């Protein structure tokens, strides 16, 4: 999941009896597992919350190209280079579907882009961490895509039709990315001592930031309760984090790597792993723009947008000239 | 001279490798999301073609080198790409102009190669041609759109053309390797492809309202490997660093 700390109305969930007939019909449709489509009536809060959530997800895909793009020109084999290129291309494609889904809610891609570039909208905290060795390409696929999938799979059943359909396409590609990441890790742990060291180092650096991807506990959050009632959030952050840990720890063991948590332990009674919370102060610092790469990421996106202005304007001007010439000829 | 067939295959693979590298430098910072996707797609196609050409080169050489060994363990003087593809990305206009000039040559050359007497060469050409035809369509449209866009985009495209124009000639030079390929029916005479290239160039430049520079001067030395630009060494320093720093590793 690439959306964190999404605010909804903040007013708490209304009961069906408190709703006017329009809203009640809307909520009953969601409760019955129905889909909401762009032309359907929806509460303003639902629309705005979805724009924030889908927009943040889209921005994450766009900024997420950067840490992986960092290794395309240094990939170790032609095949790995091609796989990484395909993956980054998929991410740009995901960004595109998601912006399109957001556009159905009445916000333009340009507006969302401006909100990202001015820092008004966020992207996932995870993309503010650096990718320092080739093993990080493995760790990003295995852990980061793995964590993303935890939330995206249930979101295929989300109440908003265009978002659910975008998620179906995205999930297919994400699970491929995760397998590729694990495959890189396998190669690394079965390789030379330097490669094993890179693999362990990557896990050490990406473990807690991956746990942060789910966001802080939101069991008590009014925003979360509202989003869950609207079925634009399907599970609590803690549920998903636990699921991720339970799935990932055996994979780390299989790889012969050590999860950097001395309190990590299987809890027979709960049937889950007990684990340490990430450093939430660090998480809030990252959200405030103080992640290790926050400045670099925003600079890169702003540079791309500013230096690309003449291209966008040029292509637009040409399209208008062409239209005018066509009309003159008719 | 080394085996001309080996060298010819390296020329094909090195062109796509070096250009693929350059295009991939755009990852995540293109002017618009659709271009991020298109540039990554172009780089991906070029890297795929590289694998085919260089694996065949390794097979022909018979010394146990595969595409990765050729891509990541040769130094500058053993590279045989044309100078055009190692030129820096510059602004987006320069990147697109470089790609258009290369695509226009590439499509003509690959079309001729589909009739090669060498069945594997013909097969790789046929597969690549589908991709390159699309690349050329896209770069043609973009060169026209930006040339005939705003005053600024026009100016930038003209200066990209002026900057890159002296690198066109090398793609059409004929040397001893070409002679050997022509005589075996493996590859076409590059000089025979120039007229079609020129007429396409004139047609596109006219629509783009760009002016073809005067002069016939052409830089050379990339295809032969005798004198690359300074840029190639930096490309290889980045591209080959990991393989050279950890020579015993498999990835």
């Amino acid at each position: 999941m690439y959306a964190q700390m999404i605010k909804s109305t903040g007013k708490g969930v209304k009961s069906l009896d408190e709703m006017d007939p329009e809203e009640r019909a809307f909520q009953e449709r969601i409760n019955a597992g129905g889909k909401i489509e762009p032309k359907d009536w929806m509460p303003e809060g639902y629309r705005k919350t979805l724009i924030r959530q889908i927009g943040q997800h889209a921005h994450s895909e766009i900024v997420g190209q950067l840490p992986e793009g960092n290794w395309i020109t240094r990939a170790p084999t032609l095949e790995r280079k091609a796989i990484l290129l395909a993956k980054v291309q998929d991410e740009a494609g995901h960004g595109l579907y998601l912006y399109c889904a957001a556009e159905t809610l009445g916000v333009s891609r340009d507006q969302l882009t401006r909100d990202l570039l001015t820092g008004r909208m966020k992207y996932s905290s995870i993309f503010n961490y650096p990718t320092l060795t080739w093993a990080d390409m493995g760790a990003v696929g295995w852990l980061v895509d793995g964590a993303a999938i935890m939330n995206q799979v249930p979101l295929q059943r989300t109440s908003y039709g265009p978002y659910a359909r975008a998620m179906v396409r995205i999930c297919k590609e994400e699970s491929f990315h995760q397998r590729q990441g694990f495959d890189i890790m396998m190669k690394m742990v079965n390789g030379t001592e330097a490669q094993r060291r890179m693999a362990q180092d990557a896990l050490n650096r990406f473990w807690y930031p991956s746990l942060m991807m789910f966001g802080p506990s939101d069991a008590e959050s009014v925003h979360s309760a509202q989003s869950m009632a609207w079925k634009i959030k399907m599970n609590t952050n803690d549920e998903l984090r636990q699921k991720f840990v339970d799935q990932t720890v055996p994979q780390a063991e299989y790889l012969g790597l050590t999860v950097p948590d001395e309190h990590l332990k299987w809890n027979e009674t709960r049937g889950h792993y007990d684990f340490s919370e990430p450093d939430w102060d660090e998480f809030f610092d990252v959200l405030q723009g103080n992640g290790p790469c926050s400045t670099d990421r925003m600079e890169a996106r702003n540079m791309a947008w500013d230096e690309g202005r003449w291209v966008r304007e040029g292509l637009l001007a040409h399209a208008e000239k062409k239209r005018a010439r066509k009309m003159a000829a008719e | 001279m080394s085996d001309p067939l080996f060298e010819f295959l390296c020329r094909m693979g090195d062109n796509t490798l070096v250009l693929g590298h350059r295009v991939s430098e755009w990852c995540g910072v293109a002017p618009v999301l659709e271009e991020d996707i298109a540039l990554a797609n172009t780089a991906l196609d070029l890297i795929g073609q590289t694998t085919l050409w260089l694996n065949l080169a390794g097979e022909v050489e018979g010394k146990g080198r595969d595409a990765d060994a050729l891509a990541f363990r040769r130094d500058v003087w053993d590279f045989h790409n044309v100078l055009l593809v190692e030129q820096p990305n510059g602004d987006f206009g320069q990147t697109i102009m470089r790609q258009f000039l290369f695509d226009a040559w590439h499509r003509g050359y690959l079309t001729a190669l589909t009739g090669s007497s060498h069945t594997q060469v013909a097969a790789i050409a046929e597969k690549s041609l589908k991709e390159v035809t699309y690349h050329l369509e896209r770069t043609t449209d973009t060169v026209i759109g930006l040339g005939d866009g705003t005053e600024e985009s026009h100016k930038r495209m003209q200066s990209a053309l002026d900057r890159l124009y002296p690198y066109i000639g090398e793609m059409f030079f004929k040397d001893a390797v070409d002679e050997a390929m022509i005589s075996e029916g493996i590859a076409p005479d590059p000089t025979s492809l120039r007229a079609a290239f020129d007429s396409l160039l004139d047609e596109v430049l006219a629509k783009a309202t760009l002016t073809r520079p005067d002069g016939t001067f052409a830089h050379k030395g990339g295809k032969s490997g005798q004198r690359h630009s300074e840029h190639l060494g930096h490309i290889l320093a980045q591209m080959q660093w990991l393989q050279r720093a950890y020579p015993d590793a498999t990835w």
Side-chain angles (χ1 to χ4, degrees):
Chain A
M1 179 53 169
Y2 293 130
Q4 295 159 326
M5 311 283 291
I6 301 296
K7 290 204 165 79
S8 66
T9 59
K11 290 178 189 154
V13 183
K14 283 189 214 166
S15 70
L16 287 175
D17 293 336
E18 290 170 288
M19 294 176 185
D20 62 33
E22 229 170 9
E23 187 172 359
R24 187 180 172 129
F26 165 87
Q27 187 63 50
E28 279 173 341
R29 185 147 145 215
I30 289 177
N31 294 348
K35 291 274 181 266
I36 306 301
E37 294 299 334
K39 286 187 176 144
D40 296 339
W41 182 89
M42 61 186 82
E44 194 54 15
Y46 176 85
R47 196 181 68 81
K48 284 190 173 152
T49 307
L50 263 179
I51 288 175
R52 279 194 283 270
Q53 180 170 332
I54 299 174
Q56 195 181 107
H57 187 169
H59 297 328
S60 299
E61 298 282 358
I62 301 309
V63 177
Q65 294 179 91
L66 298 170
E68 293 186 293
N70 185 37
W71 279 91
I72 289 178
T73 55
R74 292 179 290 168
T77 68
L78 292 169
E79 190 187 6
R80 294 283 181 206
K81 196 187 283 286
I83 291 169
L84 194 54
L85 271 165
K87 183 177 176 197
V88 173
Q89 189 190 9
D90 284 348
E91 280 155 12
H94 297 172
L96 198 57
Y97 317 148
L98 288 162
Y99 284 128
C100 291
E103 280 177 334
T104 64
L105 293 159
V107 61
S108 71
R109 200 208 302 179
D110 279 0
Q111 181 57 51
L112 288 171
T113 301
R114 275 191 291 276
D115 287 345
L116 169 68
L117 297 181
T118 54
R120 226 177 67 81
M121 283 183 87
K122 302 288 179 205
Y123 53 91
S124 175
S125 56
I126 193 72
F127 301 117
N128 291 306
Y129 288 86
T131 53
L132 302 178
T133 73
W134 176 251
D136 288 12
M137 294 302 98
V140 167
W142 172 39
L143 300 174
V144 175
D145 292 324
I149 290 168
M150 285 291 154
N151 220 338
Q152 289 172 356
V153 166
L155 278 175
Q156 294 178 101
R157 295 179 282 109
T158 189
S159 63
Y160 190 55
Y163 190 27
R165 290 188 286 275
M167 218 47 78
V168 170
R169 294 178 68 175
I170 289 173
C171 281
K172 275 188 202 145
E173 292 173 348
E174 289 290 357
S175 61
F176 175 70
H177 296 169
Q178 197 206 5
R179 279 202 300 278
Q180 288 299 335
F182 193 75
D183 185 59
I184 290 177
M185 293 309 273
M186 286 287 289
K187 269 279 190 197
M188 298 299 278
V189 299
N190 290 314
T192 63
E193 196 175 334
Q195 285 175 297
R196 279 192 293 279
R197 196 177 141 203
M198 284 181 215
Q200 182 63 54
D201 175 61
L203 175 58
N204 293 348
R205 282 182 291 104
F206 276 98
W207 175 255
Y208 287 107
S210 299
L211 297 187
M212 290 178 200
M213 286 177 70
F214 301 97
S217 179
D218 62 352
E220 309 296 322
S221 158
V222 287
H223 300 298
S224 179
Q226 179 61 76
S227 290
M228 287 176 80
W230 281 334
K231 292 193 187 168
I232 58 181
K233 183 181 174 80
M234 313 301 276
N235 308 85
T236 67
N237 295 347
D238 290 329
E239 281 168 6
L240 293 169
R241 190 171 9 255
Q242 182 71 60
K243 201 170 165 202
F244 173 75
V245 171
D246 291 347
Q247 175 187 289
T248 309
V249 170
Q251 293 170 346
E253 279 167 5
Y254 181 77
L255 290 168
L257 297 174
T258 308
V259 173
D261 178 358
E262 55 184 26
H263 302 297
L264 183 77
K265 209 175 136 229
W266 177 253
N267 182 325
E268 197 64 55
T269 331
R270 290 202 309 125
H272 292 293
Y273 282 94
D274 291 336
F275 59 95
S276 303
E277 289 278 309
D279 176 355
W280 292 111
D281 290 338
E282 176 182 317
F283 173 76
F284 288 108
D285 280 339
V286 173
L287 284 202
Q288 289 301 313
N290 292 318
C293 296
S294 305
T295 309
D296 296 332
R297 302 290 184 245
M298 288 307 282
E299 266 176 13
R301 288 310 306 162
N302 273 291
M303 183 212 69
W305 188 248
D306 294 344
E307 292 185 6
R309 176 169 296 119
W310 72 270
V311 177
R312 296 189 301 274
E313 288 173 357
L315 293 175
L316 203 65
H318 176 71
E320 277 161 17
K321 283 185 197 177
K322 242 169 85 175
R323 201 175 307 128
R325 279 196 290 262
K326 202 176 161 209
M327 276 174 69
E330 276 165 6
Chain B
M1 190 171 72
S2 63
D3 173 14
L5 178 58
F6 173 71
E7 188 165 330
F8 157 76
L9 293 167
C10 286
R11 289 175 177 188
M12 296 305 292
D14 292 347
N15 279 335
T16 51
L17 175 60
V18 174
L19 187 57
H21 179 97
R22 277 295 191 219
V23 175
S24 75
E25 291 173 349
W26 273 98
C27 174
V29 293
V32 64
L33 191 46
E34 284 79 356
E35 284 301 331
D36 275 311
I37 297 173
L39 288 168
N41 187 53
T42 301
L44 184 58
D45 287 345
L46 291 171
I47 297 303
Q49 293 168 19
T50 302
T51 307
L52 298 173
W53 289 122
L54 293 185
N55 271 332
L56 183 55
E59 244 175 70
V60 164
E61 186 191 39
K63 291 184 186 165
R65 293 201 284 184
D66 62 5
D68 285 332
L70 289 168
F72 299 115
R73 301 291 177 98
R74 280 177 304 154
D75 205 341
V76 165
W77 56 71
D78 286 328
F79 270 73
H80 291 283
N81 57 281
V82 291
L83 297 173
L84 175 73
V85 296
E86 64 196 49
Q87 295 310 301
N89 283 342
D91 65 6
F92 182 77
Q94 189 169 315
T95 293
I96 285 295
M97 185 58 79
R98 182 187 62 201
Q99 189 71 39
F100 165 70
L101 296 172
F102 181 77
D103 292 344
W105 167 80
H106 204 194
R107 191 190 58 169
Y109 201 76
L110 289 172
T111 304
L113 284 182
T114 57
S116 174
S117 63
H118 193 295
T119 51
Q120 285 162 290
V121 168
I124 297 173
E126 199 165 326
K127 183 182 181 302
S128 307
L129 184 58
K130 285 185 197 131
E131 295 165 350
V132 170
T133 300
Y134 174 70
H135 298 174
L136 179 61
E137 265 173 42
R138 199 181 77 79
T139 51
T140 298
D141 287 349
T142 314
V143 165
I144 293 171
L146 292 173
D148 180 38
T150 59
E151 198 180 319
E152 184 182 5
S153 73
H154 175 84
K155 207 173 113 201
R156 284 179 183 257
M157 294 312 283
Q158 185 64 53
S159 72
L161 178 63
D162 296 347
R163 164 83 170 74
L164 296 170
Y165 196 74
Y167 295 95
I168 292 174
E170 189 185 15
M171 296 188 284
F172 299 95
F173 276 135
K174 179 164 63 177
D175 64 9
V177 172
D178 293 307
E179 297 282 9
M181 293 300 97
I182 297 163
S183 72
E184 291 177 55
I186 294 175
D189 180 345
T191 61
S192 71
L193 304 168
R194 182 71 198 246
F197 175 91
D198 280 337
S199 67
L200 174 68
L201 184 61
D202 285 335
E203 186 193 323
V204 173
L205 293 183
K207 286 185 187 161
T209 70
L210 295 172
T211 311
R212 190 167 174 156
D214 292 329
T216 53
F217 177 76
H219 289 289
K220 52 184 171 178
K223 182 171 154 174
S224 67
Q226 282 167 358
R227 192 169 63 203
H228 281 279
S229 68
E230 290 176 347
H231 305 297
L232 184 60
H234 291 278
I235 292 175
L236 298 188
Q238 189 173 46
M239 187 170 81
Q240 301 180 337
W241 166 77
L242 195 59
Q243 299 79 359
R244 292 182 182 276
Y246 301 96
D248 303 329
T250 54
W251 308 92

